[in-house]
């Protein structure tokens, strides 16, 4: 459930997901992604990847994630994903 | 991220779709959007349809259509499938669509015929069908026990061949989206992700439009020369 997802665990899970979704990219490169890096600008997220990432996230947190027109603009970094779409429900403080 | 109640969730997704359209959803999520490969045409041009579907099958008979009209939950769109091949009698007209509006059913797709186009347009409910005729389905004899039902509908994938027909299973609660470009199905469990992806894509396309408006050339912006040289990809979004 969302309330049990810690920030570090979330970061690790996303990192593992990105490795599995980008098998042609060296794993060290993905491990070097900073949580504040823009995944779209780095080439790790596009609209095709968005569906797969959201599907992964929904399975990970155990519920549907609905992005409003405003909240979608905060979906480009791992940190913003956690703060905007996981921590908000779990009562965690933003970084 | 918000946990939304059913009706509010439907309203929010439908509102977002009206800013996006079928083409964007298809571009953003080709693996999760299914074009319904029937000769649908909008009978209410300009109106866009979005919602979870309540499908029903009939054989030129009004009764199943009335059954699904009566039983579909608010916010759902109706899909009427006429099993009769060839010419369909009209399964819905302006009275049926008026009833849909009063039942809070925001859209109608008919794999068969509709009628009363002049009087249907002002009602404000989007209507799509494969045929039009003023001949009404007059029988009301063959009730169905499956309301809503599960249907197999022809679909066409990007790059698919006409010689390789395929179908998609339409289940109650899957989402239908339709506009003047066509009718598509999205699995219920994928609809939030597909809309989010389309929203992302449109923001990126906005950047491309802005660059074009600022005087950029399409070939430069999409990487045409590099693509023709074989050392780059075509890009239509930033």
């Amino acid at each position: 459930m969302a309330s049990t997802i810690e920030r570090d665990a979330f970061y690790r899970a996303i990192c593992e997901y990105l490795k599995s979704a980008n098998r042609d990219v060296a794993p060290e490169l993905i491990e070097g992604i900073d949580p504040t890096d823009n995944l779209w600008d780095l080439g790790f997220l596009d609209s095709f990847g968005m569906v797969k990432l959201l599907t992964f996230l929904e399975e990970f947190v155990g519920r549907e994630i609905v992005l409003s027109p405003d909240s979608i603009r905060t979906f480009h970094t791992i940190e913003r994903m956690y703060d905007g779409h996981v921590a908000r429900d779990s009562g965690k403080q933003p970084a | 991220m918000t946990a939304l109640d059913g009706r509010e969730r439907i309203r929010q997704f439908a509102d977002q779709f009206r800013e996006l359209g079928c083409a964007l959803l298809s571009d953003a999520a080709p693996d999760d959007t299914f074009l319904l490969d029937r000769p649908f045409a909008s009978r209410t041009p300009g109106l866009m349809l979005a919602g979870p579907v309540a499908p029903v099958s009939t054989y030129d008979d009004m009764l199943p259509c009335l059954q699904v009209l009566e039983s579909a939950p608010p916010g759902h769109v109706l899909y009427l499938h006429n099993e009769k091949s060839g010419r369909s009698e009209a399964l819905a007209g302006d009275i049926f669509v008026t009833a849909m509006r009063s039942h809070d059913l925001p859209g109608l797709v008919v794999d068969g015929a509709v009628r009363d186009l002049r009087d249907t347009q002002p009602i404000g409910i989007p209507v799509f069908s494969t045929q039009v005729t003023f001949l009404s389905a007059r029988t009301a004899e063959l009730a169905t026990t499956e309301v809503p039902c599960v249907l197999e509908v022809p679909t066409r994938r990007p790059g698919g061949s006409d010689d390789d027909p395929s179908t998609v299973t339409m289940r109650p609660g899957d989402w239908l989206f339709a506009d003047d470009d066509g009718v598509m199905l999205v699995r219920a469990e994928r609809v939030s992700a597909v809309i989010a992806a389309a929203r992302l894509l449109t923001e990126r396309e906005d950047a491309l439009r802005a660059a074009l408006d600022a005087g950029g050339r399409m070939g430069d912006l999409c990487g045409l020369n590099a693509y023709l040289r074989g050392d780059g990809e075509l890009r239509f979004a930033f």
Side-chain angles (χ1 to χ4, degrees):
Chain A
M1 295 299 292
S3 61
T4 65
I5 299 174
E6 297 293 337
R7 183 179 298 276
D8 287 347
F10 180 77
Y11 288 179
R12 282 196 301 274
I14 294 294
C15 188
E16 290 305 311
Y17 167 78
L18 291 173
K19 285 182 192 173
S20 68
N22 298 276
R23 294 188 185 282
D24 55 334
V25 177
E28 312 85 73
L29 209 60
I30 293 174
E31 287 164 5
I33 295 174
D34 188 88
T36 61
D37 285 340
N38 187 315
L39 296 178
W40 190 295
D41 292 344
L42 292 177
F44 291 118
L45 183 61
D46 58 16
S47 58
F48 303 135
M50 184 73 171
V51 175
K52 293 182 172 63
L53 175 61
L54 273 169
T55 302
F56 168 81
L57 287 176
E58 287 178 348
E59 289 173 359
F60 187 74
V61 302
R63 54 176 162 66
E64 183 178 57
I65 292 177
V66 178
L67 300 182
S68 68
D70 289 335
S71 67
I72 200 164
R73 298 190 184 93
T74 67
F75 208 74
H76 293 135
T77 75
I78 301 173
E79 180 183 81
R80 290 294 186 89
M81 285 179 206
Y82 184 83
D83 289 341
H85 308 284
V86 179
R88 189 186 300 173
D89 273 6
S90 63
K92 304 292 183 187
Q93 294 299 311
Chain B
M1 172 193 58
T2 315
L4 297 174
D5 291 337
R7 193 65 187 92
E8 174 58 20
R9 177 178 180 273
I10 292 171
R11 189 195 60 75
Q12 188 177 98
F13 287 158
D15 285 350
Q16 291 197 49
F17 172 68
R18 275 186 275 276
E19 298 174 8
L20 298 167
C22 285
L24 260 170
L25 265 60
S26 174
D27 286 351
D31 293 340
D32 293 289
T33 52
F34 298 89
L35 179 155
L36 300 191
D37 197 16
R38 299 286 298 141
F40 289 117
S42 173
R43 309 305 173 186
T44 51
L47 295 185
M48 300 167 77
L49 175 151
V53 64
V56 77
S57 195
T58 182
Y59 192 91
D60 247 355
D61 194 296
M62 278 303 298
L63 203 48
C65 308
L66 294 170
Q67 287 178 272
V68 76
L69 172 66
E70 203 55 34
S71 62
H76 282 55
V77 300
L78 303 186
Y79 186 94
L80 312 180
H81 168 66
N82 196 344
E83 296 173 27
K84 182 186 175 192
S85 60
R87 297 284 186 191
S88 168
E89 294 175 348
L91 299 177
D94 63 326
I95 300 296
F96 190 93
V97 177
T98 299
M100 289 184 62
R101 186 174 64 183
S102 72
H103 293 197
D104 194 15
L105 304 172
L108 174 65
V109 181
V110 181
D111 189 352
V114 297
R115 69 175 202 171
D116 305 323
L117 299 191
R118 186 193 62 188
D119 294 325
T120 298
Q121 176 83 33
I123 298 170
I125 299 288
V127 175
F128 296 77
S129 76
T130 56
Q131 301 175 44
V132 175
T133 179
F134 52 74
L135 294 175
S136 174
R138 275 165 289 186
T139 59
E141 299 168 353
L142 303 172
T144 178
T145 56
E146 289 185 85
V147 186
C149 70
V150 175
L151 293 173
E152 291 293 323
V153 183
T155 187
R156 181 155 50 92
R157 309 299 292 163
S161 162
D162 289 348
D163 300 328
D164 183 25
S166 57
T167 63
V168 60
T169 303
M170 178 189 293
R171 302 183 182 88
D174 285 337
W175 274 64
L176 289 188
F177 296 96
D179 58 20
D180 292 346
D181 290 348
V183 181
M184 69 162 56
L185 179 144
V186 176
R187 292 265 169 259
E189 64 272 20
R190 289 285 186 270
V191 67
S192 62
V194 167
I195 287 178
R199 174 71 61 182
L200 259 184
L201 182 60
T202 192
E203 288 187 4
R204 298 293 167 161
E205 286 189 347
D206 285 347
L208 176 58
R209 285 191 198 92
L212 288 168
D213 286 343
R217 292 191 60 81
M218 187 67 183
D220 296 335
L221 295 166
C222 74
L224 178 61
N225 288 332
Y227 182 75
L228 292 174
R229 285 195 309 269
D231 58 3
E233 295 182 355
L234 281 178
R235 301 183 310 138
F236 294 100
F238 292 97

